[in-house]
Amino acid sequence: MRQGWRTGAAWLAGAILALGGQAAAQQLRLPPDLAYAKAEGSPGNVIFSHQFHVPVSEKCTACHVTLFRMLTPTRTVTHVEMEAGRSCGACHNDRMAFGPTDAAGCGRCHVGEGRSSREPGTGANARVAASHETPAPH
Amino acid sequence: MKGAILFDSTKCIGCEACVAACKEKHDLPAAIDPKLTAYTWTVVEQRNKAFVRRLCMHCESPTCVSVCPVEAFRKEPSGPVVYDASRCIGCRYCIMACPFDVPKYQWDRTTPIVQKCNMCADRIAVGKEPACAAVCPTGATIFGDRDQLIGEARVRLKAAPTTYVPHIYGLEEVGGTSVLMLSSVPFPSLGIRPDLPVTPLPTLTWKALSKVPDVVVVGGALLYGIWWITNRRIRVQEALAQEAAKKG
Ligand code: SF4
Ligand code: SF4
Ligand code: SF4
C-alpha cells in the first residue's frame, strides 16, 4: 500500500515537475536507454529512458528495487506482468500513467526499430549496457 | 590499495539509489527500514536540509573486531570490515561496542546472525566498486583508494571553502575510518557523533576483558553456555547451508 501511495505521489509530482526537472536530470549519471528485446508479435522494441522517467520521482526507490533490479536488469517485460500491476504496469495502467489502451496506440512505448537504431541496440547487449554498472567517471 | 568510500553530503540528492542497490546486491528484503536494521544496511536521512548516509564506517581499528571473542569480525587489508556468520556465537558484543551503532541482530529469527554493510567486499575483491558507489547518480558516494580519496576531499575543501565545513569526517575519528564524509553543515547536525576520540577505541574492550580470570563464570552456567553456543553454531550453519542450497 505504501508503495502504491509513493508511486502515485511520485507520478503527481512528476506531472508537475516533468519539464523543470528535465534539466536537473541531465546532470545525473544515469544508465543509457534500455532497449527491451522484442517479443514475438510485438509491434516494436520498447526503449526505456531514465532521462525521461527520473523527473517523475525524487527517489530511485519508486521503481528500484521493488519493480526493477538495477545491477542486473536482465528481465523482460510482458503485458501479463503489467496487467498484474508489476514492472511498467505499476504506473502504466491507464490510471496513474497512460496504459495499454491509450488512444495514441502501442507506439507510445513500442517505438520500434526506427528509433532503436539510435539506441545502444536491442537484445541482451543493450540490457547489459543499460545496467547501472557503468564505469565510474570519477 | 586500501579501499574507502567518500560520501559528500553536498552532492547527495536523497534519491536512495544507494539503498536500493545495496538491497539488490545483498538479496535483502526490498522494504526500506527508516533506520539501520539487519535487513537495511544503509539508509539516507534528511537532516537540516542536507542528506546523510548511514552505513558501516569500516574503522581502521574497529571496535567490533576487537571485542569479538571468536574473530567473527575481521578488518580486511583492502578496507572492508567483514563478518563471518559461521564463526559468530551470538554474544552481540559487537553491537554494544560499535561507536556508530551499526551492527544489527536478526531479532525476528530463530537462528539470528549479525548483519551490517560489508563494503561489498566480494565486489572489491574482483575489482568492482561497491554497489552503492556504482549506482550513485551524483557522485555523492564514490569508491577509491583511501589516500586518494583523502586527497580528493582536501581538493574539494580547498576549492569551495564556503561550501564545506572544514573537516573530513573519518580522517582521524576513532583512529580513522574507511568511510569519509564531507558536509556543508556541522557534522553533529547531520546526527554524526562529534564526541569520538581520534585514538582507536579497542584497547579498552575485549582484549582487556579477556584477561580477567574466568572465576565468575562457574559450573552449570559455563556448561550451559558452552552447550548453547555449540548448539547455536550448528543451527546457524544449518540455516546458512539451507540458504545456500536455496540459492543454488
Ligand atoms: S562502524 Fe562499527 S561495525 Fe563498522 S567497523 Fe566501525 S566498529 Fe565495526
Ligand atoms: S558498500 Fe555495499 S554493503 Fe555497504 S552500503 Fe554500499 S552497497 Fe551496501
Ligand atoms: S545514490 Fe548518491 S545521491 Fe542518491 S541518496 Fe545515495 S548517496 Fe545520495
Side-chain angles (χ1 to χ4, degrees):
Chain A
M1 212 44 239
R2 182 163 167 250
Q3 182 63 36
W5 176 86
R6 268 170 90 148
T7 321
W11 184 84
L12 269 183
I16 299 157
L17 285 176
L19 286 174
Q22 199 77 332
Q26 310 276 297
Q27 290 136 33
L28 298 178
R29 183 174 62 117
L30 298 169
D33 286 359
L34 192 160
Y36 284 98
K38 203 173 106 178
E40 218 178 296
S42 160
N45 293 97
V46 173
I47 313 283
F48 174 83
S49 160
H50 270 93
Q51 208 76 321
F52 189 78
H53 281 83
V54 159
V56 173
S57 168
E58 283 178 3
K59 303 233 187 214
C60 307
T61 43
C63 302
H64 299 297
V65 66
T66 42
L67 300 174
F68 297 100
R69 295 176 77 79
M70 50 196 335
L71 300 167
T72 50
T74 49
R75 49 181 300 153
T76 50
V77 169
T78 65
H79 273 271
V80 176
E81 256 172 19
M82 287 179 63
E83 275 154 32
R86 296 200 303 272
S87 68
C88 307
C91 293
H92 289 281
N93 55 9
D94 289 313
R95 294 187 302 278
M96 282 160 69
F98 71 87
T101 63
D102 189 67
C106 313
R108 256 186 115 169
C109 292
H110 294 271
V111 288
E113 272 118 45
R115 191 169 157 220
S116 67
S117 60
R118 289 192 279 119
E119 306 297 344
T122 54
N125 286 340
R127 290 203 298 278
V128 172
S131 156
H132 281 267
E133 298 264 18
T134 44
H138 314 286
Chain B
M1 143 173 156
K2 176 177 274 180
I5 286 172
L6 173 62
F7 172 72
D8 186 335
S9 164
T10 67
K11 291 178 184 282
C12 179
I13 55 170
C15 70
E16 292 185 342
C18 47
V19 181
C22 183
K23 291 276 185 184
E24 176 178 337
K25 165 69 186 75
H26 299 286
D27 281 327
L28 299 168
I32 298 166
D33 302 313
K35 297 266 170 220
L36 293 188
T37 66
Y39 309 103
T40 299
W41 298 357
T42 183
V43 292
V44 182
E45 292 177 354
Q46 188 168 23
R47 303 246 185 156
N48 293 296
K49 299 198 181 107
F51 291 103
V52 61
R53 283 189 67 193
R54 306 253 172 248
L55 70 168
C56 173
M57 298 295 284
H58 299 280
C59 309
E60 300 297 285
S61 307
T63 332
C64 56
V65 171
S66 72
V67 295
C68 180
V70 293
E71 289 176 23
F73 275 86
R74 195 174 71 245
K75 172 80 178 174
E76 304 242 336
S78 58
V81 172
V82 296
Y83 161 82
D84 178 355
S86 70
R87 299 181 79 104
C88 176
I89 55 171
C91 72
R92 308 190 295 280
Y93 281 161
C94 51
I95 293 171
M96 288 181 280
C98 172
F100 299 103
D101 195 19
V102 168
K104 298 291 171 195
Y105 204 52
Q106 295 175 328
W107 293 104
D108 57 325
R109 301 222 174 159
T110 46
T111 52
I113 56 172
V114 176
Q115 296 276 260
K116 71 165 192 73
C117 155
N118 60 12
M119 212 195 246
C120 296
D122 55 339
R123 286 176 59 97
I124 293 176
V126 296
K128 289 187 189 170
E129 53 190 340
C132 54
V135 302
C136 177
T138 63
T141 294
I142 58 171
F143 174 79
D145 174 68
R146 186 169 187 267
D147 291 334
Q148 279 178 11
L149 288 183
I150 291 169
E152 167 68 21
R154 289 207 169 109
V155 167
R156 289 186 198 176
L157 292 187
K158 204 165 164 212
T162 51
T163 304
Y164 292 100
V165 292
H167 184 65
I168 304 171
Y169 195 93
L171 183 62
E172 290 181 316
E173 278 81 7
V174 298
T177 61
S178 289
V179 172
L180 305 160
M181 294 196 178
L182 293 177
S183 170
S184 57
V185 297
F187 286 96
S189 62
L190 289 180
I192 292 181
R193 287 182 69 169
D195 58 333
L196 295 171
V198 295
T199 47
L201 297 174
T203 39
L204 288 172
T205 47
W206 174 258
K207 291 211 166 73
L209 281 179
S210 64
K211 296 197 174 61
V212 178
D214 280 338
V215 285
V216 284
V217 189
V218 285
L222 178 63
L223 290 174
Y224 176 78
I226 289 170
W227 171 83
W228 188 85
I229 285 166
T230 320
N231 188 43
R232 182 186 176 284
R233 285 177 87 153
I234 292 166
R235 282 182 306 161
V236 166
Q237 259 154 22
E238 277 170 6
L240 288 176
Q242 271 173 16
E243 255 171 50
K246 251 188 268 161
K247 277 183 206 151

